[in-house]
Amino acid sequence: YKAFVDAGGYANRALWDSTIVQDGKPLAWEDTRKLLVDRTGQPGPASWEGGAPPTGTDELPVVGGSWYEARAYARFVHKELPTVLEWNAAAIPEAARWVVPQGRYDATGPVRGGDTRSVSPRGVYDMAGNVKEWCSTETNHRRFLVGGAWKAARDIFADYDAKGPVARAPRYGLRLAEYTPPPAAAVPPPTPVPDPVATQPVPPGHLIRGTVTTPAGSPVVGAIVTLLEPTGSRAGAGGSTTSSSRQNPG
């Protein structure tokens, strides 16, 4: 994420939505830039200082960013924010009884991705707790945050929270989706878009350490999607997968 900040991502208008809205009112671009700053007034997430993550937190998930910041960063690295449907397909909320006990809840802060033993049936790490994750799905001019966070109670895992897109709490993070279009012959015929918060079955597989085919209702139907969780570190631009599934797209 620091690569995005250092490259002037917060000043690159092409990476941001054409209209930034706060409390139902559009903001001028200069007002937006004044709003989206760190603790020292520099461009960056609200939890950062001097345009960089606090000392000792380089490998922790990026937190304190709004939905707009998450969206702009996704564009910078040529990825997307997942839909709630895709997030559910990876997390499988029905498996909460096995996933949640190992999740990062009722804690003092986040930990490095993969350090918990919380793994979804699809093989995705840290979807239960640690940091809440912005999704692209919109409801009543708000955006969904899913998974719960280190400061939340355990029963929040399967709940759907939605906040204004400029909200920047220290427990709000992000996870990105990368799509690989399937061969033309493999694209299924159009189907009705299902409830965005309903879990849909997907073929066996997993995310972060692997891939699954996107369910109907995703931006690219029938594509292969991989989810990545960025850290504050600048190294490793483009993302990498390790045995512990720590992601560092820069």
Side-chain angles (χ1 to χ4, degrees):
Y1 195 92
K2 193 171 188 305
F4 166 61
V5 175
D6 290 346
Y10 276 72
N12 185 348
R13 191 69 180 90
L15 296 174
W16 297 78
D17 280 32
S18 58
T19 302
I20 309 296
V21 178
Q22 182 182 34
D23 298 328
K25 299 178 180 179
L27 294 175
W29 174 239
E30 288 305 316
D31 291 335
T32 299
R33 294 186 60 188
K34 293 175 183 177
L35 179 67
L36 303 181
V37 294
D38 65 19
R39 296 170 181 170
T40 59
Q42 298 298 311
S47 60
W48 284 24
E49 300 172 352
T55 302
T57 67
D58 285 15
E59 295 302 319
L60 298 183
V62 176
V63 293
S66 67
W67 182 86
Y68 289 114
E69 289 164 277
R71 173 77 164 147
Y73 172 70
R75 287 175 174 144
F76 177 74
V77 294
H78 307 292
K79 296 178 175 63
E80 299 285 346
L81 296 178
T83 65
V84 168
L85 187 65
E86 291 165 349
W87 195 95
N88 273 339
I92 308 184
E94 292 83 355
R97 69 177 66 182
W98 299 285
V99 176
V100 170
Q102 305 298 332
R104 182 74 172 173
Y105 293 105
D106 298 313
T108 56
V111 295
R112 185 169 55 175
D115 279 0
T116 71
R117 292 181 294 172
S118 177
V119 186
S120 83
R122 298 294 183 194
V124 190
Y125 286 72
D126 303 318
M127 301 193 85
N130 211 30
V131 300
K132 300 181 85 169
E133 299 170 351
W134 287 109
C135 287
S136 63
T137 307
E138 182 180 14
T139 178
N140 296 323
H141 307 293
R142 297 176 296 166
R143 300 286 175 167
F144 279 108
L145 283 153
V146 291
W150 52 268
K151 196 176 182 180
R154 293 175 181 269
D155 60 1
I156 201 70
F157 172 64
D159 285 351
Y160 298 99
D161 190 14
K163 300 294 184 184
V166 296
R168 309 178 81 217
R171 56 192 180 278
Y172 296 172
L174 66 147
R175 192 182 294 260
L176 304 182
E178 184 176 59
Y179 302 96
T180 303
V187 177
T191 58
V193 176
D195 185 338
V197 297
T199 301
Q200 299 294 318
V202 295
H206 50 87
L207 299 170
I208 287 189
R209 295 186 66 191
T211 58
V212 297
T213 302
T214 58
S218 298
V220 185
V221 177
I224 302 301
V225 60
T226 301
L227 299 192
L228 310 170
E229 187 176 60
T231 68
S233 173
R234 181 181 172 82
S240 60
T241 303
T242 69
S243 58
S244 62
S245 297
R246 296 173 188 142
Q247 298 304 320
N248 184 11

